[in-house]
Amino acid sequence: SNQALVDTALRARAAKVIPGGMYGHLHARNLPPGYPQFYARADGCRVWDVDGREYLDFMCSWGPVIAGHKHPAIDEAARKQAEQGDCMNGPTAKLVELSERLVGMLPHADWAMFQKNGSDATTAALMIARAGSRKRKILLAKGAYHGAVPWCTPSVAGVTAEDRAHLIYFTFNDIESLEAAAREAGDDLAAVLVSAFRHDLGTPQEMPRADFARAARALCDRQGAALVIDEVRAGMRLSLQGSWEALGVRPDICAWSKAIANGYALAAVTGNDAFRQAAQQIYITGSFWMGGVAMAAAIATLDVLESSNAIQHFEQMGQRLRDGLQRQADRHGVRISQTGPAQLPLVLFADDADYSRGARFMAEALKHGVYLHHRHNMFLSLAHTARDIDHALQVTDRAFETVANAAAH
Ligand code: PMP
């Protein structure tokens, strides 16, 4: 059925006991009409809402699901650890094993520390940079998302100017603006914080230019500051060695979360020996940070990614989707832009400042069981097959027709 009776009832109950009925990035208010708020289950590359409607999922829980929902080997590793215990008076051996694993995988890393959310990791990364450099100023890109705590949350409600006192903004990929921000920091520069690639909400994505990456590295070396890459979104989808490794630029510190444990709650900070002592000096912790289940899941996730040609799979599936969408858009005379890495697809419509065209397209696809996003980049997983992409493309062809018809009226 196309009716959202259970979802509607849950929203009404939620409105009474949850401020706004929902909060944060998963609030259905930010989606086109027809998208569910509440989900019942997931499997592979599919999710089911509380009314039993099935969707081919291109959001992957906004990134965490990288091997597919309910991946058997990962869930088995988590279950085995859960049978032994999860939250104890200290970590399990999995903490050491996972740290060794990340240090072995990531050429930049000599050590690792674990948290739960991406915001924990980006915040800890900056604390380590400040402790190590004994400086205060952080340079970061205008419009970039680094989490939802006072220094970086997109809303200013509940935030003081002091929370953001030592932040100076530059433009991603713009060396001149980076140098200008560094001049403003003077001899008080603690870190350059930059996303693995530019993925600001609702704007075209951009890969980092090699000369920009090198300029950021040189600037940090010159000033004794830390080059910090926010890998929370891109991590393990562009490369298993770190997203800037292909550019020949190694960061001092990286923040990870989302995909590293295939949906189990885990974040990590990795760093090099120059910042080991600083990482040892700062005090960070959390009641749930040492839970063994998520660490077991992370080790199993890395096993799966390393043994499956994962990056090539994401690229190929993303490119298949991108090529198909472009052919359809051309055929229907609809102008779209697709930017950034194919494995984190973003589709924007031309002359669509209010995203209404994108919303119309995505709402039509959703009606036919394909779950896309009109403003945020999407995600692929190992569970997406060529057949799934082709199925999605049958649906998007009709969605383009709807957009083309609406434009003609
Ligand atoms: N950095 C980036 C690049 C992100 O995409 C996100 C999450 N969307 C975060 C940080 C924050 O992660 P979390 O929501 O887990 O705190």
Side-chain angles (χ1 to χ4, degrees):
S1 116
N2 250 339
Q3 296 213 307
L5 297 175
V6 181
D7 195 78
T8 304
L10 282 171
R11 287 190 204 215
R13 284 167 56 195
K16 294 188 180 146
V17 291
I18 298 160
M22 178 58 185
Y23 46 93
H25 69 298
L26 302 180
H27 200 319
R29 175 186 60 198
N30 304 323
L31 293 164
Y35 276 69
Q37 180 66 83
F38 294 96
Y39 294 83
R41 65 192 182 93
D43 193 10
C45 62
R46 290 185 165 72
V47 293
W48 286 262
D49 70 18
V50 285
D51 288 284
R53 296 177 300 185
E54 176 182 329
Y55 307 100
L56 176 48
D57 175 22
F58 285 95
M59 286 310 283
C60 297
S61 186
W62 294 55
V65 176
I66 192 167
H69 295 280
K70 284 190 2 186
H71 187 281
I74 297 167
D75 283 4
E76 174 61 18
R79 201 159 38 236
K80 267 176 72 182
Q81 181 58 51
E83 279 165 12
Q84 301 301 309
D86 181 21
C87 196
M88 296 181 265
N89 292 348
T92 67
K94 296 281 191 291
L95 170 68
V96 182
E97 203 184 314
L98 180 56
S99 303
E100 288 170 347
R101 193 64 182 273
L102 284 177
V103 167
M105 280 176 66
L106 302 169
H108 97 95
D110 298 313
W111 52 263
M113 296 169 86
F114 299 92
Q115 310 81 27
K116 281 295 166 192
N117 290 287
S119 307
D120 300 335
T122 54
T123 301
L126 297 189
M127 286 173 74
I128 294 166
R130 282 172 167 152
S133 64
R134 296 166 196 273
K135 307 281 173 63
R136 295 179 298 176
K137 304 294 179 192
I138 308 290
L139 312 188
L140 70 174
K142 252 193 309 284
Y145 188 79
H146 295 296
V149 283
W151 69 266
C152 58
T153 183
S155 167
V156 294
V159 173
T160 67
E162 288 80 359
D163 289 318
R164 301 178 181 193
H166 299 291
L167 307 181
I168 304 173
Y169 297 91
F170 62 86
T171 303
F172 190 92
N173 263 344
D174 180 339
I175 296 175
E176 189 38 55
S177 77
L178 180 67
E179 299 286 354
R183 280 194 295 277
E184 199 181 322
D187 61 5
D188 199 14
L189 182 63
V192 173
L193 168 64
V194 62
S195 313
F197 70 96
R198 187 181 196 168
H199 44 49
D200 309 345
L201 184 66
T203 61
Q205 305 194 115
E206 257 180 71
M207 292 304 282
R209 289 175 30 179
D211 61 343
F212 174 76
R214 283 194 296 268
R217 180 67 274 173
L219 169 64
C220 290
D221 290 342
R222 212 158 59 228
Q223 304 264 7
L227 177 58
V228 180
I229 301 187
D230 182 346
E231 289 270 18
V232 172
R233 182 105 44 106
M236 307 297 164
R237 278 192 166 86
L238 301 192
S239 161
L240 300 183
Q241 282 79 49
S243 296
W244 283 23
E245 191 61 21
L247 299 174
V249 173
R250 285 196 185 146
D252 296 296
I253 302 171
C254 283
W256 307 85
S257 187
K258 288 197 186 283
I260 62 172
N262 200 45
Y264 290 85
L266 197 66
V269 178
T270 54
N272 61 19
D273 275 333
F275 287 87
R276 185 190 290 267
Q277 214 201 339
Q280 193 176 323
Q281 283 167 346
I282 65 160
Y283 186 80
I284 52 166
T285 189
S287 295
F288 306 105
W289 285 13
M290 290 306 139
V293 169
M295 293 186 190
I299 293 165
T301 300
L302 297 178
D303 285 342
V304 167
L305 294 175
E306 282 189 327
S307 63
S308 60
N309 246 334
I311 305 298
Q312 199 190 336
H313 180 81
F314 304 142
E315 271 176 357
Q316 284 175 352
M317 292 305 109
Q319 197 60 46
R320 191 180 184 96
L321 179 69
R322 179 171 288 189
D323 291 346
L325 290 172
Q326 194 58 57
R327 273 195 304 274
Q328 294 174 347
D330 293 345
R331 186 148 28 80
H332 290 285
V334 175
R335 278 169 46 233
I336 59 168
S337 78
Q338 301 189 84
T339 48
Q343 56 268 56
L344 290 114
L346 176 71
V347 184
L348 296 174
F349 288 73
D351 308 315
D352 197 27
D354 63 358
Y355 304 97
S356 60
R357 218 171 268 186
R360 183 188 292 277
F361 179 87
M362 304 305 172
E364 183 64 20
L366 188 90
K367 270 191 221 160
H368 301 285
V370 176
Y371 193 109
L372 303 165
H373 201 287
H374 64 308
R375 281 184 344 127
H376 194 280
N377 68 258
M378 297 175 273
F379 299 87
L380 292 159
S381 75
L382 284 178
H384 290 86
T385 66
R387 265 189 73 198
D388 295 314
I389 303 298
D390 294 348
H391 171 72
L393 287 169
Q394 284 173 19
V395 168
T396 54
D397 199 36
R398 296 161 70 174
F400 274 120
E401 197 178 313
T402 310
V403 171
N405 287 342
H409 289 105

